[in-house]
Amino acid sequence: QQKLTKLKKQQEIEELKAKLVGQRVALGGQKTQKQDLLTTTKNDEKIYQSLLNSAKAELEAIEAIIAGKGQEEEVGDVNEGDGIASVISGSSCNSSGSHLHFMVSDDSLVKNPFEYLKSIDHNNNSGGDSFNPTGSWNWPLSPTIYFNQGYGKTWAVQNTWVGNIYSFHNGLDISGSSTTVKAVQSGKLYRGSYSGSGGCALKYVRVGHKDTDIDTYYLHVNYF
């Protein structure tokens, strides 16, 4: 009985050690993010509030676009791999830097893009999100893919200030070796924009995939 008690205590100690290591890693990440935020904002409350307001406006716009409230015009048919837009360089409406926000919607319900996209050469800059594509689609950008934030309850949501804005990320934030955005499947191309509380028009393109209820959305882009 004494041996069993000793073994149980040793196991509890090891579990506590492992938990402590995990907490130290998380704390280190939080400190890094805090320092990055202070560097970005120069410890300026106005800049911080500006970031918050921009993120809120982007969330409003994205949700409105998925709900079909964007102003759209039909362009025509496109094939898989066709160039359909280009990623805006630098900051733009509701975006503090160059990136593509890529979303998949099935009958107006957002889906995890990794269920559709195939494996690809990448750099994971997300801070801790899993990069686990299991599908067969080509990517909307050329590799190497720079993976900045994943889908769902991401590392950024749990560890950075964006968690004050949203609790669930509904797409992928990525960039690639070029700014050309390509259709991941053939379908009907639409150009759209949404103007909300942010005071600017967030531009995007949408591809309605043939013979399905699936749409793909490509945000923070310039039209071709």
Side-chain angles (χ1 to χ4, degrees):
Q1 186 62 39
Q2 289 176 338
K3 287 181 179 180
L4 288 173
T5 301
K6 183 179 180 180
L7 286 172
K8 185 178 179 180
K9 288 183 178 180
Q10 288 175 337
Q11 186 177 24
E12 290 174 350
I13 290 171
E14 292 303 318
E15 290 174 353
L16 287 172
K17 285 182 178 179
K19 186 176 180 180
L20 180 60
V21 170
Q23 289 174 340
R24 284 175 176 169
V25 171
L27 181 60
Q30 290 170 0
K31 286 181 177 178
T32 299
Q33 286 297 316
K34 182 178 180 181
Q35 186 58 48
D36 288 345
L37 182 59
L38 289 173
T39 300
T40 301
T41 63
K42 296 182 175 62
N43 209 18
D44 190 313
E45 179 67 19
K46 288 184 178 180
I47 297 177
Y48 175 69
Q49 291 300 325
S50 177
L51 286 173
L52 290 180
N53 291 333
S54 177
K56 289 176 182 176
E58 181 181 24
L59 178 63
E60 174 198 334
I62 291 173
E63 290 179 341
I65 289 168
I66 288 290
K69 297 179 181 179
Q71 299 295 315
E72 295 185 349
E73 64 171 352
E74 182 179 321
V75 178
D77 293 329
V78 292
N79 296 314
E80 176 187 346
D82 284 352
I84 56 176
S86 63
V87 177
I88 296 173
S89 179
S91 59
S92 61
C93 180
N94 305 145
S95 172
S96 59
S98 306
H99 76 283
L100 177 71
H101 184 77
F102 175 70
M103 297 185 293
V104 179
S105 169
D106 188 351
D107 197 19
S108 298
L109 297 175
V110 291
K111 297 291 185 177
N112 187 347
F114 280 142
E115 296 177 6
Y116 302 89
L117 296 166
K118 66 182 183 182
S119 296
I120 196 170
D121 183 38
H122 69 282
N123 287 329
N124 193 335
N125 302 322
S126 67
D129 297 340
S130 296
F131 190 91
N132 54 352
T134 58
S136 59
W137 291 358
N138 286 319
W139 282 68
L141 295 174
S142 297
T144 300
I145 297 296
Y146 296 90
F147 177 55
N148 301 317
Q149 188 173 187
Y151 176 86
K153 193 173 182 180
T154 63
W155 186 89
V157 166
Q158 298 178 72
N159 294 281
T160 74
W161 61 271
V162 300
N164 296 326
I165 308 301
Y166 55 85
S167 60
F168 192 92
H169 194 238
N170 56 15
L172 302 180
D173 286 346
I174 57 175
S175 56
S177 61
S178 75
T179 59
T180 300
V181 179
K182 296 174 286 187
V184 296
Q185 292 282 280
S186 60
K188 191 76 70 177
L189 175 65
Y190 300 83
R191 291 173 179 162
S193 66
Y194 178 82
S195 298
S197 60
C200 62
L202 192 157
K203 294 195 292 186
Y204 68 95
V205 293
R206 172 173 69 89
V207 176
H209 294 206
K210 288 183 177 179
D211 304 319
T212 71
D213 293 324
I214 294 178
D215 294 277
T216 45
Y217 293 83
Y218 313 74
L219 280 67
H220 305 306
V221 299
N222 283 319
Y223 307 139
F224 269 180

